[in-house]
Amino acid sequence: MNIILLGAPGSGKGTQASMISERYGLPHISTGDIFRANIKAGTDIGKVAESYIKAGKLVPDEVTCEIVKRRLAEEDCKNGYLLDGFPRNIYQAEVLDSFAKIDLCININIDHALLMDRLCGRRVCAKCGESYHVSTLGGATTCAKCGGELIQRKDDNPETVSARLAVYNDQTAPLINYYTDKEIIFNCTGTEAPASTLFAVVSAELDKFIG
Ligand code: AP5
């Protein structure tokens, strides 16, 4: 089954993707993670992506679409995948339709007033990528899953978050209508904590398809 996770920055896409991937064995493909890995490794793609990510803007479509096309052609995607952070505008969705068949778009709606705190308070494991919020860490500085160091993403600051939310409203939100028109959208809300509350709703929907 080929799934897209759609939602504003901080709505919980990465958190849900990690849970879905673990339960259903689908590869979790996050364009943001791919870019961050490239930045860390100092590749040409990383050099292009870095300035856009720091500014909260979208990395150019031609770079992003090519990365996703290649990734979906890999062996582990043969029986399905979970896309997190792609597509992010109508053009990317149309390109995706030219080489993939999407079965379900999980759209996480959320009260945008929550997002600044969620993102500026987020800490991620430098080793395994697990996401936490400072309010639940009790002062811990290492990952509960793997012991890696917890760090703050460079784009999780008030100025960049504001830019990311503006890009979402302008370019990504129209995808809700795009997938509603295709009748493959599942709308849910990511406002309630903890994240397992939303996962219970999402997995009940996925069980209808995957079992
Ligand atoms: P990307 O890495 O995709 O970031 P994003 O979309 O901005 O989303 P986030 O990862 O910030 O948030 P999330 O929704 O995954 O929330 P999370 O689960 O972590 O993209 C980064 C950048 O890369 C972009 O700005 C762009 O420059 C570039 N890029 C990526 N894809 C691109 C594309 N297709 N085209 C062009 N450019 C692209 O949760 C957030 C926090 O909330 C965490 O602390 C978490 O613990 C907490 N939390 C989650 N759920 C709950 C809950 N239910 N209750 C309480 N807390 C919760």
Side-chain angles (χ1 to χ4, degrees), residues 10 16 20 38 71 75 92 99-100 106-107 109-110 113 127 129 131 139 153 163 165 169 174-175 180 189:
Q16 294 303 316
I20 295 169
N38 275 276
R71 180 65 186 86
E75 187 64 21
Q92 291 184 4
F99 60 77
I106 300 170
N107 175 43
N109 290 302
I110 190 159
K127 206 167 151 190
S131 212
R153 265 170 51 175
L165 291 175
N169 287 329
L175 289 173
T180 301
T189 172

Side-chain angles (χ1 to χ4, degrees), residues 20-164:
I20 295 169
S21 174
E22 199 175 314
R23 167 146 342 158
Y24 299 98
L26 292 172
H28 170 195
I29 299 163
S30 155
T31 39
D33 286 349
I34 294 172
F35 288 135
R36 282 184 288 278
N38 275 276
I39 291 169
K40 200 169 170 188
T43 66
D44 288 344
I45 287 170
K47 283 173 193 151
V48 172
E50 192 165 19
S51 61
Y52 290 96
I53 292 180
K54 269 190 182 158
K57 294 181 178 163
L58 295 186
V59 176
D61 288 335
E62 58 274 21
V63 177
T64 310
C65 292
E66 187 55 30
I67 285 175
V68 173
K69 189 173 182 183
R70 281 192 198 174
R71 180 65 186 86
L72 297 191
E74 288 179 27
E75 187 64 21
D76 65 331
C77 294
K78 216 175 53 186
N79 296 320
Y81 47 79
L82 181 60
L83 278 169
D84 162 13
F86 185 94
R88 249 180 158 91
N89 59 30
I90 298 285
Y91 177 78
Q92 291 184 4
E94 287 171 350
V95 173
L96 180 64
D97 284 342
S98 72
F99 60 77
K101 186 191 169 295
I102 300 303
D103 302 299
L104 183 69
C105 170
I106 300 170
N107 175 43
I108 307 176
N109 290 302
I110 190 159
D111 177 357
H112 282 209
L114 293 175
L115 298 178
M116 187 61 82
D117 172 67
R118 274 206 188 174
L119 291 172
C120 294
R122 174 170 54 187
R123 298 295 180 270
V124 290
C125 175
K127 206 167 151 190
C128 73
E130 188 68 17
S131 212
Y132 299 89
H133 192 274
V134 279
S135 61
T136 60
L137 279 171
T141 56
T142 52
C143 177
K145 273 196 170 170
C146 75
E149 184 197 0
L150 298 183
I151 55 164
Q152 185 167 25
R153 265 170 51 175
K154 286 194 176 123
D155 57 348
D156 281 349
N157 62 76
E159 194 188 341
T160 312
V161 168
S162 296
R164 288 160 62 195

